[in-house]
Amino acid sequence: MFIASLYNLKGGVGKTASCVNFAYMAARDGYKTLLWDLDPQGAASYYYKADTSGKGSIKKIIGHNINISEAIVPTAYDGLDIIPADLSARKLDILLDAQNSPKKYFKSLLKQVSSEYDFVFIDCPPGFSNVADNIFYASDAVLMPVIPTTLSVRTYEQVKSYFETKEIDLTKLMCFFTMVDIRKNMHNDTMKQLYKDKRFFEHYIPNLSDIEKMGVRNAPVEVFAPSGYATTCYRALWNDIKEGVLE
C-alpha cells in the first residue's frame, strides 16, 4: 500500500482538486484506492458526494470507538472508497495529543487496511501541526502543489525547512505546479528557477475553468470532460507521479 498525502502550508493552491483527481485516476488505472479526507472543510468529500454526517467521525476513530474500516464508504466509482471529513477534524490535534505515540498514530491506523488498498490519498488540512507531523510520518510521498508566485515559493521553502528541522525524509517531498498561467513572465521565470531544485514534476496544472467546474459537477474532471485539456494535464501529471513513486 502506497500512502500519498496532498499537502500545503497554505490553502487555495489546488490541493483538494488534485487529490480528488489523482485518486480517481489511480482507481481508473485499476488500483484499489482509498481517499481519506482530513480537511475539516470537507471539499474532497463534497466532490464525491460523500455523507459527512459524522457516523464514522475521526473523533470516534481516534477514540477507539470504531475501527478505521468502519468509517470507509464507497464512492460512485469502481475501486475508489473514501473516509469522509467531519467537523470533529477541527480538534484533531487535541485528540492526537492524548495518544502515547502521536507521530506514529496515523501510520498504525492505516496499517489496519494495508491489505485492502494499493493507494491511499490523504487530503490534508493546511498548516504545521501534530496532524501534519502524523501525516508526514505515515506518508510514502508528500505531494505539494505550488502556484508559481512569490508567496507560494516562500511557502515551499518553509516546508522544506520544516522537513529538515523535524528530520523528516526530504525525498518524500514531491512538488508540482498548479494554477499556472504561462502568459505571465513571473510564472515562467519562477517555474524555470524551481525546476533546478529537481523536486518538481515536469508536467503542471494550468489555471483552467474545467477544474473550477468540479465543484458544480461534484466530480473529477475526467468524469465530465474526458477529452478536455484539464483531464489531459492531470493525466500527464498523474503518469509522472506514478513513475516517480512506483519506480
Side-chain angles (χ1 to χ4, degrees):
M1 183 177 74
F2 192 94
I3 301 171
S5 56
L6 274 290
Y7 171 82
N8 196 298
L9 181 57
K10 64 192 296 293
V13 296
K15 168 185 64 67
T16 296
S18 296
C19 189
V20 166
N21 284 302
F22 293 155
Y24 174 80
M25 290 179 173
R28 276 292 302 268
D29 287 348
Y31 297 106
K32 183 65 176 172
T33 303
L34 174 66
L35 192 160
W36 192 0
D37 189 357
L38 280 174
D39 193 330
Q41 296 180 73
S45 303
Y46 176 78
Y47 284 137
Y48 280 118
K49 302 178 184 178
D51 181 7
T52 59
S53 61
K55 293 179 182 178
S57 70
I58 187 63
K59 182 177 181 180
K60 292 178 181 177
I61 296 171
I62 300 298
H64 304 286
N65 294 314
I66 63 171
N67 188 287
I68 190 172
S69 61
E70 296 177 69
I72 296 172
V73 297
T75 69
Y77 309 105
D78 290 342
L80 177 56
D81 296 334
I82 186 170
I83 301 176
D86 67 273
L87 290 177
S88 70
R90 294 175 301 172
K91 300 180 179 180
L92 187 49
D93 266 321
I94 297 172
L95 296 171
L96 286 174
D97 283 341
Q99 303 301 317
N100 292 328
S101 302
K103 290 182 176 62
K104 300 179 180 180
Y105 194 65
F106 278 7
K107 191 174 184 70
S108 65
L109 282 175
L110 288 169
K111 277 185 178 180
Q112 298 172 22
V113 294
S114 61
S115 63
E116 300 175 37
Y117 294 98
D118 301 306
F119 274 101
V120 175
F121 291 90
I122 303 175
D123 189 24
C124 310
F128 294 136
S129 64
N130 197 358
V131 176
D133 289 348
N134 246 276
I135 292 169
F136 297 156
Y137 185 88
S139 298
D140 298 296
V142 178
L143 302 175
M144 181 174 172
V146 176
I147 304 172
T149 59
T150 302
L151 286 180
S152 287
V153 171
R154 180 173 180 268
T155 298
Y156 164 64
E157 296 294 343
Q158 288 175 308
V159 173
K160 276 204 310 180
S161 177
Y162 187 83
F163 269 54
E164 292 167 350
T165 300
K166 291 283 187 173
E167 297 183 342
I168 302 167
D169 183 0
L170 198 55
T171 62
K172 289 185 178 185
L173 185 62
M174 302 178 180
C175 306
F176 57 96
F177 293 109
T178 55
M179 301 184 181
V180 174
D181 186 344
I182 59 173
R183 297 170 299 178
K184 296 181 178 180
N185 288 334
M186 174 181 285
H187 283 209
N188 283 298
D189 293 344
T190 301
M191 291 169 68
K192 184 177 180 180
Q193 172 193 344
L194 288 184
Y195 274 134
K196 295 177 183 177
D197 210 7
K198 300 188 183 301
R199 204 169 300 283
F200 283 77
F201 289 104
E202 176 185 357
H203 289 96
Y204 60 86
I205 305 302
N207 193 11
L208 299 170
S209 60
D210 271 346
I211 298 173
E212 295 179 1
K213 291 176 184 176
M214 287 173 60
V216 177
R217 300 296 189 109
N218 288 96
V221 290
E222 195 167 19
V223 172
F224 62 87
S227 58
Y229 188 49
T231 296
T232 299
C233 292
Y234 263 117
R235 176 57 69 177
L237 178 55
W238 168 237
N239 288 336
D240 276 356
I241 291 170
K242 278 196 302 182
E243 182 179 347
V245 303
L246 300 179
E247 62 184 6

